[in-house]
Amino acid sequence: MSLSTTSGTAEKTRRVRPPRHAFRPDIQGLRAVAVIAVLLDHLFGWPTGGFVGVDIFFVISGFLITGLLLREYQRTGTISFRRFYERRVKRILPASALVLFVTVVTASLVLPATRAKSTVVDAIWSFFFAGNWRFASTGTDYFQEGTLPSPLQHFWSLGVEEQFYLVWPWLMLAILVAMARSRTGPAQSRRVIAAAMVVIILVTGVWALHQSSADETRAYFSTFTRAWELGIGALLAVAAPLLGRIPSGARPYLAWTGSAGMLASILWVSAENGGFPAPWAALPVFSVALVIAAGTGAEVKGLWPLTNPVSRYIGDISFSLYLWHWPVIVLLVAVVPSEGPLYVLLALVLSFGLSSAGYHLVENPLRHARWFGWRREHATGRPQPSPQRISVTVALVVVAALGTSVSLVSIRGGVTEPAGAGGDEGDRRKASALMDRCLGAASLEAGEDCDGVLGDGLWPSVDNFATEVGGSFQCWRERDGKAFPECDLGASEGEYRVALRGDSHAASLLPAIEPIAESQGWDLDVFTGWGCHWYVHDEGDNCQGPLEQAQQAMLTGEPYDAVIVSSSRYDTVRPAGERRDRYEQAWAPVAERGTKIIVVADAPASTDAALECLTRVGFTPQDHRCGTSAEEAFALVDPLPEVASRIEGAEVIDLREYFCRDGFCPAVIGNAVVYRDSKAHLTATYMRSLEPMLRERLVPAVQQ
């Protein structure tokens, strides 16, 4: 499809021979810098700003694509959208489809079923260039926090680019056609296009600033908060005639200043500081813009870090390297521990090997192939594949990948049963009793040989541990909820009136606290929710309104006999000292009414490495070292026990001895998986195994 101009101005435009588009070795070098920065950040966690390589790619893409469209219009008087999108498909689809296929099949073989199925869904979204919205949604899902990343998460950037190019070429052509019909010259047309792009940059840039403070995760993945970065590149292409007039003596200064700015952003920008993509993405974006501007219209001499053969080759394979490196990094930990040099060596060899092979065997050949030739034969007389044949082939490849993955996931083995589970009723009862004495935390105090009882079984299974909540969130206040839901557990007319308050870590206690409340006849009210730490919140905090309502009810209604409180040690929004003071301000008035404050100390922290170890191929519950050192697990201090020391009559229940011993906190204890994720949310199975230990301490604290 294309739209053409028919005015005299357009006819004159067609007869103008545009300047030859010169190859830019410096841009290949910029691509190399971008992809190496991303690779180092993902593999080593250093440099801290390596992720800005994606922003560098955005500017380069906006510059090159816009320049291509302008040259086509100058040459032909139109922009052929059929040819444009054909080029995009040939450039992006072969390499992307190959990586998606290999990743999905590999994930189905080596990842737990839950993650493998999620990877299939990620692949579907990514194939249709909508992955950024998928990852924005899962990234802002509270229950996805702390889970291991998708091996396809990096496809979000392709989604942003392709969504941008669904709109920008049409807007450009509309402006060019309108200007041609008004008999306006090329220079004026460029000025109007530049003005349109400035508006896009300003609007999306301001929106990025807002979103980066309001919802940083969604801002990171959103097309609307990234469009300004592609727009800067597009503006450079539109301004190419003007940039061509830059004095030759000034070009090296611009190029080296821009290079220094890129290096500074890679070394200095940090995601932990917030403000990304706005305002901090401006540093790499405008730095790479300086380098591109310096080389527009004339070559910059002496820019050897970008123009040497190694940089140029890495720039050539940068797209394939970007696609391959992240699945390699994520999936390799299923086979090799990520802490050692072997992992790093294999990750580098596989990333560069696969990307080089993919570039030479798939990306480059198919990029230059005549996919969409409408003639059945070309000059050699060989059949030319039709668009229909190519579409069917691509569809079959995708269906085959998804079908293979689903089949592999479905045939994987289940959980090994405990000894005696398959015998008669007596054997099963005996096995159940042994399980009660051996599973999870009970194994730490059991006298039996629990290894013989539990065998190689794992509860919950590797495929299910990440989603096993077991009623923890039956009373949960969602992130955008307006109030705590009405949720009365235990005995409705119980002798003791008890409340549970806190965030998701408090909610994780419910599989143990609810049966205690039922057996003891407590009337249990639950006030748990997203960000609902029981302290004094500022106006505008997510849970501030519901917390104030609950606080008012506790101060004016019938007093509670006890409030059980727990909260995540990961809450670092405010300094520790300030948090302790705010907790005390909230607790003290309630305690003064005679309510007992009972702190359940937070579980030790967990790590991604512990979960990776747990899901590694060959893992067995009886022979593993999956876990976290006690030093790391308690590096973040839980402030609640200290606050309890300030409140008269408050008590602290600390169960750390059932998580860590001899300086180590295992990810599996008594064949039970301890954590659902790396944010120390406990599995319902392990929490239930803690119920006797919690009961022993909690009942006297409430009923004394």
Side-chain angles (χ1 to χ4, degrees), residues 568-580:
S568 168
R569 66 177 67 243
Y570 293 93
D571 174 31
T572 56
V573 175
R574 294 177 173 87
E578 181 182 346
R579 277 184 288 139
R580 287 192 288 268

Side-chain angles (χ1 to χ4, degrees), residues 109-402:
L109 290 169
V110 303
L111 294 184
T114 303
R115 288 189 71 201
K117 292 174 183 177
S118 179
T119 302
V120 173
V121 177
D122 295 340
I124 295 172
W125 282 80
S126 298
F127 182 80
F128 292 103
F129 304 113
N132 59 315
W133 299 115
R134 157 79 172 169
F135 298 122
S137 176
T138 56
T140 54
D141 182 351
Y142 189 87
F143 300 105
Q144 296 289 329
E145 182 184 10
T147 57
L148 296 175
S150 166
L152 297 174
Q153 184 165 300
H154 63 316
F155 269 78
W156 73 270
S157 61
L158 272 69
V160 169
E161 283 197 21
E162 299 316 307
Q163 290 159 33
F164 181 82
Y165 294 133
L166 283 176
V167 177
W168 176 232
W170 292 89
L171 179 59
M172 278 184 60
L173 184 61
I175 294 172
L176 289 167
V177 169
M179 299 304 292
R181 289 177 178 172
S182 65
R183 300 183 180 277
T184 303
Q188 183 61 26
S189 297
R190 282 183 178 263
R191 283 193 286 270
V192 175
I193 293 174
M197 184 45 68
V198 168
V199 171
I200 292 172
I201 291 170
L202 290 176
V203 170
T204 58
V206 170
W207 180 245
L209 275 171
H210 167 73
Q211 280 290 89
S212 294
S213 59
D215 189 346
E216 191 169 359
T217 299
R218 195 171 295 278
Y220 189 87
F221 292 111
S222 173
T223 304
F224 303 113
T225 57
R226 295 289 189 161
W228 66 276
E229 300 180 35
L230 289 125
I232 293 293
L235 190 60
L236 290 171
V238 175
L242 183 63
L243 297 176
R245 302 174 188 170
I246 295 175
S248 57
R251 292 180 182 273
Y253 293 103
L254 291 177
W256 284 105
T257 300
S259 299
M262 285 193 299
L263 180 62
S265 63
I266 291 169
L267 294 175
W268 176 69
V269 173
S270 173
E272 296 180 357
N273 295 334
F276 205 89
W280 297 120
L283 179 57
V285 165
F286 286 106
S287 295
V288 71
L290 282 178
V291 179
I292 293 174
T296 300
E299 181 181 355
V300 179
K301 301 294 185 182
L303 205 59
W304 55 268
L306 300 179
T307 58
N308 67 80
V310 174
S311 295
R312 288 173 59 174
Y313 180 74
I314 295 175
D316 289 342
I317 67 170
S318 59
F319 180 58
S320 282
L321 182 55
Y322 180 78
L323 292 180
W324 281 110
H325 85 283
W326 183 243
V328 167
I329 288 172
V330 172
L331 296 176
L332 188 59
V333 297
V335 183
V336 180
S338 60
E339 296 85 1
L342 178 61
Y343 170 80
V344 173
L345 178 62
L346 287 175
L348 290 173
V349 169
L350 287 172
S351 295
F352 279 94
L354 289 170
S355 59
S356 183
Y359 172 75
H360 291 291
L361 300 178
V362 177
E363 178 190 344
N364 208 39
L366 293 183
R367 177 181 170 187
H368 297 293
R370 296 184 60 193
W371 285 26
F372 296 91
W374 298 102
R375 293 174 299 170
R376 297 294 298 168
E377 295 185 357
H378 54 54
T380 64
R382 290 180 293 183
Q384 177 68 20
S386 66
Q388 294 84 358
R389 185 181 303 176
I390 291 171
S391 300
V392 170
T393 301
V394 171
L396 288 175
V397 169
V398 174
V399 170
L402 299 181

